[in-house]
Amino acid sequence: MKIQINTDKNIEGHARLESYFSEELEKGLARFEDKITRIEVHFGDENGEKFGLHDKKCLIEVRPQKLQPITVTEHAETLEKAFSGALTKIKKSLTTTYEKQKAF
């Protein structure tokens, strides 16, 4: 499972940030590890330098084997909260997707 972290020009993408979010993804999606080929995370600040509530965005795209990519987006006031919300959404989406496959 390959993890790629991307940031827009308004967010500093340094090694500590990448390391933290990669570890959280690996822990959070561990049960799907053998079914996922790649995960892309995109962080953005939609207002740039201006202040705004819920202006931080986290988009997570998961590419499961033999399935279409699954994408979720979350907005919040901090990157951590946006990431946490997006991680919760992607776990729920993956669980639903694989439960539907078992039904067939």
Side-chain angles (χ1 to χ4, degrees), residues 3-104:
I3 298 174
Q4 182 178 347
I5 308 279
N6 303 299
T7 59
D8 71 6
K9 65 180 180 176
N10 298 313
I11 296 176
E12 284 185 34
H14 46 79
R16 189 182 69 77
L17 178 131
E18 286 191 30
S19 156
Y20 170 75
F21 290 120
S22 292
E23 284 178 26
E24 290 299 308
L25 278 168
E26 287 172 5
K27 281 191 273 182
L29 301 177
R31 69 183 186 162
F32 303 109
E33 184 176 20
D34 59 332
K35 299 173 182 170
I36 296 172
T37 57
R38 185 165 137 178
I39 300 171
E40 285 189 38
V41 181
H42 300 270
F43 289 107
D45 185 342
E46 297 189 336
N47 289 345
E49 307 237 339
K50 295 181 261 172
F51 175 76
L53 293 176
H54 303 289
D55 66 337
K56 306 294 189 279
K57 179 174 94 172
C58 177
L59 180 141
I60 299 178
E61 180 181 294
V62 172
R63 298 181 184 209
Q65 294 175 355
K66 300 176 186 170
L67 294 173
Q68 292 293 319
I70 300 170
T71 305
V72 298
T73 304
E74 181 74 14
H75 290 85
E77 56 270 3
T78 66
L79 287 180
E80 291 79 8
K81 287 181 181 177
F83 175 78
S84 178
L87 182 57
T88 300
K89 285 181 180 181
I90 201 71
K91 279 193 242 181
K92 195 173 196 176
S93 292
L94 287 167
T95 300
T96 303
T97 299
Y98 288 115
E99 283 176 358
K100 283 181 182 177
Q101 275 193 332
K102 286 180 186 175
F104 288 105

